[in-house]
Amino acid sequence: MAFIDYYKVLGIDKSASTEDIKKVYRKLARKHHPDLNPNDKQSNLVFQQINEANEVLSDPEKRKKYDEYGENWKNADQFEEARRQQAAGGGRAQDFGGSGGGDFGGGDFSDFFGSLFGNQGRSSQSRDVKFKGQDYRAELRVPLREAFTTHQQTLTLNDKKVRITIPAGIADGQVIKLKGHGSAGVNGGPAGDLFITFVIDPDAVFKRVGDDLFITIEVDLYTAVLGGEVTVETLGSAVKLKVKPELQNNTKVRLKGKGFPVYKKDGEFGDLIVTYNIKMPTGLTEKQKELFRELSKP
């Protein structure tokens, strides 16, 4: 099993802070995202390595294990237990620390156990102990209007197409786990999982806060003064609203159940809050201006 230096993958120093790691990860993930490089196998491979590196280095506990055990960081507890058993048995416990950063000289998992227990240990321990594969993490961007309905998208993972269903109402920053879509397990152990973090892209018309939507619409001065009717766009359809005479600027109206769908609760929606913005007329004729002058007189 080739050793992958996650620090080199992200292009950071071992002294990098957790915040530095997150910033670098976001930048690289956007650059190498499969959706932006659909036919670039090398870029897709780099994207997977970036996710693996972030999964480990952004977590202080995992990072500590990685610094000592390298790519076998997930088996750190078993290694420690094996070392304790070896020491308890009267043998000399092997030193796995130091500046190697977990590099076992290119040896694989079986070689490591062989060095620890001898040939007998290799056959009895490394062959029998099963470990779950490493989890993957990915980021998926979804436009607000697409997040309004349940729909499917296809992801590319290690040259394999994975079709996922995205439930209506998915939230920005929400994480969904796909069981068994991580790296392969060790010695027949179960595969790791894939954790997808959703990023909901903002919309030019609607603003989302929780399950509520906000929209600002313009009302001409004449309708605002005399009253009338306006058409308001929603993500489901368009509705007509009556405007009372003498409407004030920035007046808000709440439309129950016309907002965003509540995640995994069929038939439940937030509200739509409409803000009226009165648009002043331009290009008035002299006659129209004279009428306004008359109106301005006490």
Side-chain angles (χ1 to χ4, degrees):
M1 182 183 295
F3 173 71
I4 301 175
D5 189 333
Y6 289 147
Y7 290 100
K8 288 185 179 180
V9 169
L10 295 180
I12 58 175
D13 189 79
K14 287 188 176 182
S15 62
S17 67
T18 301
E19 188 60 33
D20 290 336
I21 292 171
K22 290 180 179 179
K23 289 181 181 178
V24 171
Y25 164 71
R26 293 192 190 102
K27 181 178 179 180
L28 293 176
R30 282 194 294 269
K31 178 180 178 181
H32 296 282
H33 198 286
D35 290 348
L36 300 178
N37 306 275
N39 300 315
D40 190 337
K41 293 185 178 181
Q42 180 60 32
S43 187
N44 290 345
L45 176 60
V46 172
F47 181 73
Q48 296 303 325
Q49 292 180 343
I50 290 169
N51 281 305
E52 290 181 25
N54 180 66
E55 157 73 18
V56 177
L57 300 184
S58 63
D59 184 304
E61 177 130 349
K62 292 177 182 178
R63 183 179 180 180
K64 180 180 178 181
K65 292 179 180 179
Y66 173 77
D67 286 343
E68 184 170 0
Y69 293 102
E71 62 187 330
N72 293 306
W73 64 271
K74 294 193 74 172
N75 306 317
D77 293 339
Q78 288 83 354
F79 293 161
E80 291 295 334
E81 179 61 27
R83 182 162 60 181
R84 285 193 292 271
Q85 292 179 4
Q86 177 76 356
R92 179 177 175 272
Q94 186 170 337
D95 180 11
F96 306 115
S99 60
D103 189 347
F104 301 118
D108 63 9
F109 185 69
S110 298
D111 292 335
F112 168 66
F113 266 98
S115 68
L116 183 60
F117 296 102
N119 290 333
Q120 180 180 359
R122 176 180 299 188
S123 61
S124 63
Q125 294 288 338
S126 64
R127 186 173 59 242
D128 297 335
V129 180
K130 298 179 180 181
F131 301 103
K132 180 182 177 182
Q134 184 171 316
D135 294 334
Y136 289 156
R137 294 189 179 275
E139 186 178 273
L140 181 61
R141 305 189 75 90
V142 180
L144 179 69
R145 293 178 186 248
E146 290 186 15
F148 183 78
T149 59
T150 297
H151 65 286
Q152 293 185 326
Q153 285 197 24
T154 300
L155 303 177
T156 302
L157 297 171
N158 293 330
D159 296 328
K160 293 183 179 180
K161 301 291 186 180
V162 179
R163 195 168 182 81
I164 65 172
T165 297
I166 303 176
I170 194 79
D172 185 58
Q174 188 168 341
V175 179
I176 288 181
K177 181 177 77 173
L178 297 183
K179 188 175 179 62
H181 285 285
S183 65
V186 178
N187 295 332
D193 302 321
L194 169 63
F195 293 87
I196 301 176
T197 300
F198 288 86
V199 177
I200 309 301
D201 289 331
D203 187 77
V205 177
F206 295 95
K207 178 183 178 182
R208 179 185 178 188
V209 179
D211 296 321
D212 292 335
L213 290 175
F214 292 78
I215 186 174
T216 298
I217 65 169
E218 290 187 341
V219 179
D220 63 73
L221 178 63
Y222 312 109
T223 302
V225 173
L226 303 174
E229 194 174 70
V230 294
T231 300
V232 178
E233 177 187 359
T234 75
L235 286 180
S237 61
V239 297
K240 290 186 177 181
L241 296 179
K242 288 185 178 181
V243 177
K244 295 181 180 181
E246 301 179 6
L247 177 71
Q248 298 299 302
N249 196 38
N250 291 325
T251 295
K252 291 179 172 54
V253 177
R254 180 181 292 269
L255 303 182
K256 290 285 187 180
K258 295 296 183 180
F260 219 69
V262 180
Y263 183 73
K264 287 193 173 180
K265 291 188 177 181
D266 293 340
E268 291 191 27
F269 292 81
D271 300 332
L272 174 63
I273 291 84
V274 180
T275 299
Y276 292 125
N277 179 34
I278 300 176
K279 182 180 180 180
M280 300 302 294
T282 58
L284 295 176
T285 65
E286 283 302 319
K287 183 177 179 180
Q288 290 171 326
K289 291 179 181 179
E290 185 59 35
L291 290 173
F292 275 106
R293 292 188 189 101
E294 288 294 325
L295 290 172
S296 66
K297 294 178 180 179

